[in-house]
């Protein structure tokens, strides 16, 4: 039980480090949607979608490789130094190359060159803190990790509010003041990226001692082994980015030019309601990845993984139903402009898709533990192909609803494929009957609440209570053991 208690503690702290920043980020959604037209918000969403791709490329699987080799190698300092040197120099090469070809990048992407410049600096600064953040997780310093992550978002949030809300008022009332002189008219999108740059720079400064205290030793043999392990993860990451973000880019390309960015805007805004599941999945993943590697040699490792997955599905199923029942309440807090609400119909699909992705993350522990990360890349590529194919087929006739269908189809397929091959190469005794029961009942109740009795909270809350009783009925022995242990 102490094993699960430690895991829960680590996941809870990483959860705070993930949930609080994302909750702060939620405050930016009403700010952006209040101040930016739908088309402008769509433009911002497309730029951030491209940034996800380059984040994956600049990390090139080294974060996961770091954890794998840090737990396996006896000389852990060598792993830290080799990974840090590798990320540093690839980031520098990217910086100079991207600046050199910034005009070409702007032309190919259709994004203004000044936004390309801002994006380059954000990407490089974020890449340079990959290893320092990984060290904090490896050294089991979740509180420090959480403080820095939360600080990053607080700086971003504060500056965004200042630039978008207060600076225009200061410029209007005190045009000759220093702050008034900083205001640039019709520069809202630029201010969003300036706030991000300053926040990323502040984070880098805080973590920069990692570079000053480094011996800069680089071992080629270790690096080659890490690259063989990490590159398939990069391929999987690119495929994941396609599944997660490429729909917004394709919406901008495949829809008529006069409505494309506005459609991206409303879709991206309502997509944010799915972040409650993203928070749960991300917090869990941050806590679980080091745990999986550090306990892989234990005699009962497979049973441990099966138990963890069961409770992930239980909590995730509850979150799925809860968010869908109260989705139309949450929209009043996050998306106050009713013109964005037309895309609310995608919310259940997006939440379920992210839950499928979380289950896939659990099921996919096997290929990382047996050093067959290329299988994960293949599975992710299958998901990416499904995403691209369905987006191309469905966007012209169904717009963003087709993108939501493509997302859930991709993640659902990846989940099933991973389970099939995992059962073949690294059997884990999952309680499939219970997992399927929780998942099916949650999906059924969610569909009934949203599509049959939407905004009827008597029915929605009743379904939620019934699901909670179903959990208690099936898990009462475990719950009673926990209660007795505490007493």
């Amino acid at each position: 039980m102490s094993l699960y208690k430690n895991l829960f503690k680590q996941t809870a702290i990483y959860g705070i480090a993930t949930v609080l920043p994302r909750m702060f980020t939620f405050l930016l959604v009403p700010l952006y949607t209040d101040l930016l037209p739908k088309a402008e918000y769509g433009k911002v969403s497309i730029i951030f979608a491209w940034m996800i791709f380059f984040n994956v490329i600049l990390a090139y699987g080294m974060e996961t490789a770091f954890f794998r080799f840090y737990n396996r190698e006896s000389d852990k300092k060598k792993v830290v130094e080799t990974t840090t040197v590798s990320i540093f120099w690839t980031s520098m090469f990217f910086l100079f190359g991207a600046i050199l070809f910034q005009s070409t990048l702007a032309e190919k992407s259709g994004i203004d060159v000044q936004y390309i410049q801002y994006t380059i600096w954000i990407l490089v600064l974020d890449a340079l803190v990959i290893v320092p953040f990984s060290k904090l997780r490896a050294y089991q310093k979740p509180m420090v990790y959480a403080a820095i992550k939360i600080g990053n978002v607080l700086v971003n949030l504060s500056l965004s509010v200042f630039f978008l809300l207060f600076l225009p008022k200061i410029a209007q009332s005190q045009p000759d003041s220093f702050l008034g002189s900083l205001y640039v008219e019709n520069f809202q999108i630029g201010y969003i990226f300036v706030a991000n740059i300053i926040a990323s720079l502040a984070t880098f400064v805080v973590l920069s001692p990692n570079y000053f205290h480094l011996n800069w030793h680089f071992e080629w043999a270790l690096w080659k082994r890490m690259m063989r392990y990490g590159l398939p993860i990069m391929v999987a990451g690119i495929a994941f980015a396609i599944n997660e973000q490429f729909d917004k880019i394709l919406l901008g390309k495949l829809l008529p030019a006069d409505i494309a960015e506005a459609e991206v805007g409303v879709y991206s805004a309502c997509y944010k309601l799915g972040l409650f599941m993203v928070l749960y999945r991300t917090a869990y993943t941050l806590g679980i990845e080091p745990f999986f590697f550090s306990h892989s040699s234990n005699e009962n490792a497979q049973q441990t993984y099966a138990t963890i997955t069961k409770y992930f599905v239980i909590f995730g199923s509850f979150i799925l139903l809860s968010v869908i029942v109260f989705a139309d309440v949450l929209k009043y807090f996050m998306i106050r402009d009713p013109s964005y609400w037309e895309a609310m119909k995608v919310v259940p699909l997006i939440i379920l898709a992210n839950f499928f992705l979380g289950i896939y993350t659990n099921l996919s522990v096997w290929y990382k533990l047996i050093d067959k990360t290329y299988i994960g890349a293949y599975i992710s590529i299958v998901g990416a192909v499904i995403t691209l194919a369905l987006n191309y087929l469905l966007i012209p006739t169904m717009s963003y609803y087709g993108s939501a269908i493509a997302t859930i189809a991709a993640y659902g397929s990846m989940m099933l494929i991973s389970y099939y091959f995992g059962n073949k190469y690294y059997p884990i005794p999952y309680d499939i009957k219970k997992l399927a029961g929780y998942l099916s009942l949650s999906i059924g109740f969610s569909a009934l609440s949203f599509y049959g009795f939407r905004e009827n909270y008597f029915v929605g809350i009743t379904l939620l209570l019934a699901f909670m009783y179903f959990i208690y009925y099936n898990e009462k022995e475990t719950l009673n053991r926990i209660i007795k242990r505490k007493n």
Side-chain angles (χ1 to χ4, degrees):
M1 187 61 70
S2 60
L3 185 69
Y4 299 117
K5 183 179 179 180
N6 184 56
L7 172 62
F8 179 79
K9 180 182 176 181
Q10 294 273 344
T11 303
I13 297 173
Y14 285 122
I16 292 171
T18 305
V19 171
L20 280 183
R22 292 293 181 93
M23 291 302 292
F24 293 144
T25 304
F26 285 167
L27 299 177
L28 293 174
V29 176
L31 177 66
Y32 293 165
T33 54
D34 283 352
L35 297 177
L36 298 178
K38 291 184 289 187
E40 293 292 288
Y41 185 64
K43 188 180 296 184
V44 172
S45 300
I46 291 171
I47 296 172
F48 278 120
W50 279 114
M51 287 177 66
I52 298 296
F53 280 91
F54 284 99
N55 279 328
V56 173
I57 292 170
L58 287 173
Y60 50 93
M62 290 299 279
E63 184 175 13
T64 303
F66 172 86
F67 286 114
R68 181 56 169 165
F69 284 83
Y70 185 86
N71 284 284
R72 189 166 65 180
E73 298 288 319
S74 58
D75 190 346
K76 301 185 186 304
K77 184 179 178 182
K78 181 173 61 178
V79 175
V80 172
E81 291 175 347
T82 299
T83 310
T84 304
V85 172
S86 179
I87 291 287
F88 176 81
W89 284 113
T90 53
S91 299
M92 292 301 102
F93 288 138
F94 170 80
L95 174 63
F96 292 118
I99 290 175
L100 184 63
F101 294 102
Q102 58 184 319
S103 299
T104 304
L105 291 171
E107 182 182 347
K108 295 294 184 182
S109 63
I111 299 171
D112 192 292
V113 69
Q114 66 176 330
Y115 302 146
I116 293 290
Q117 293 169 350
Y118 301 147
T119 301
I120 291 169
W121 284 104
I122 295 169
L123 288 169
V124 171
L125 289 169
D126 288 348
L128 290 174
V129 297
I130 289 173
V131 179
F133 272 127
S134 297
K135 283 172 61 180
L136 291 175
R137 292 169 60 193
Y139 295 170
Q140 295 190 10
K141 295 183 177 180
M143 295 298 292
V144 180
Y145 178 97
I148 298 174
K149 283 286 186 181
I150 293 170
N152 173 281
V153 178
L154 281 175
V155 171
N156 188 7
L157 175 63
S158 301
L159 289 174
S160 295
V161 171
F162 172 74
F163 287 140
L164 296 176
L165 282 183
F166 294 108
L167 188 58
K169 296 177 182 178
I170 294 172
Q172 186 177 13
S173 62
Q174 305 173 41
D176 297 327
S177 66
F178 171 72
L179 290 177
S181 67
L182 296 177
Y183 177 69
V184 180
E185 196 171 356
N186 298 321
F187 191 62
Q188 288 91 339
I189 295 179
Y191 283 132
I192 291 172
F193 288 100
V194 169
N196 275 270
I197 289 175
I198 296 174
S200 295
L201 178 61
T203 301
F204 173 73
V205 170
V206 170
L207 293 170
S208 59
N210 286 273
Y211 289 93
F212 298 141
H213 299 148
L214 194 71
N215 290 330
W216 294 87
H217 174 75
F218 184 82
E219 184 171 312
W220 278 100
L222 173 63
W223 182 79
K224 289 177 183 178
R225 287 186 287 127
M226 294 182 74
M227 289 296 287
R228 281 195 297 269
Y229 185 88
L231 285 178
I233 293 174
M234 182 190 74
V235 174
I238 293 173
F240 168 78
I242 291 174
N243 294 329
E244 188 75 6
Q245 299 293 336
F246 212 69
D247 50 358
K248 301 171 185 66
I249 296 170
L250 289 177
L251 283 167
K253 299 288 185 183
L254 298 178
L255 291 175
D258 58 329
I259 66 167
E261 289 181 345
E263 292 285 274
V264 175
V266 297
Y267 176 60
S268 299
C270 289
Y271 199 103
K272 296 293 185 184
L273 290 173
L275 283 179
F276 289 97
M277 184 61 75
V278 175
L279 297 178
Y280 171 63
R281 171 176 58 80
T282 306
Y284 173 84
T285 302
L286 285 170
I288 203 66
E289 191 171 64
F291 175 87
F292 278 154
F293 287 129
S294 62
H295 290 83
S296 60
S297 59
N298 289 7
E299 185 178 348
N300 61 340
Q302 283 92 334
Q303 183 58 54
T304 300
Y305 300 153
T307 303
I308 290 170
T309 300
K310 183 180 75 169
Y311 287 106
F312 175 84
V313 172
I314 290 174
F315 286 116
S317 297
F318 177 75
I319 292 171
L320 171 71
L321 180 57
S322 300
V323 176
I324 291 176
V325 166
F326 295 106
D328 287 292
V329 174
L330 295 170
K331 74 183 181 186
Y332 287 101
F333 296 96
M334 290 185 58
I335 314 167
R336 293 178 297 199
D337 186 345
S339 65
Y340 283 86
W341 294 351
E342 63 183 76
M344 279 297 295
K345 60 184 178 181
V346 305
V347 171
L349 299 183
I350 296 303
I351 298 172
L352 181 57
N354 277 288
F355 189 24
F356 283 166
L357 179 59
I359 297 173
Y360 164 74
T361 302
N362 271 275
L363 299 179
S364 297
V365 61
W366 61 271
Y367 65 72
K368 295 179 181 179
L369 295 178
I370 63 174
D371 293 345
K372 293 185 181 293
T373 52
Y374 63 87
I375 297 179
Y378 293 152
I379 296 172
S380 296
I381 290 170
V382 171
V385 169
I386 292 172
T387 295
L388 293 173
L390 289 181
N391 270 289
Y392 273 106
L393 287 172
L394 300 178
I395 283 177
T397 56
M398 303 178 69
S399 186
Y400 48 74
Y401 197 72
S403 294
I405 292 173
T407 302
I408 198 171
Y411 289 150
S413 300
M414 291 166 61
M415 176 182 68
L416 295 174
I417 293 170
S418 182
Y419 171 73
Y420 173 79
F421 284 104
N423 202 40
K424 181 178 180 180
Y425 289 106
Y426 190 86
I428 295 175
Y430 298 115
D431 190 342
I432 294 299
K433 185 177 179 180
K434 281 192 174 182
L435 294 179
Y438 289 124
L439 186 59
S440 300
L441 192 62
S442 178
I443 293 172
F445 280 0
S446 297
L448 184 62
S449 173
F450 193 84
Y451 298 108
F453 297 92
R454 187 172 173 182
E455 296 190 75
N456 184 331
Y457 297 108
F458 175 78
V459 173
I461 293 172
T462 300
L463 292 173
L464 198 55
L465 291 173
F467 186 70
M468 291 172 67
Y469 177 76
F470 181 76
I471 294 173
Y472 171 75
Y473 181 80
N474 284 277
E475 304 297 328
K476 57 186 176 184
E477 290 185 9
T478 302
L479 293 173
N480 288 333
R481 282 202 304 269
I482 294 173
I483 293 170
K484 287 179 180 179
R485 183 181 294 269
K486 286 184 175 182
N487 292 334

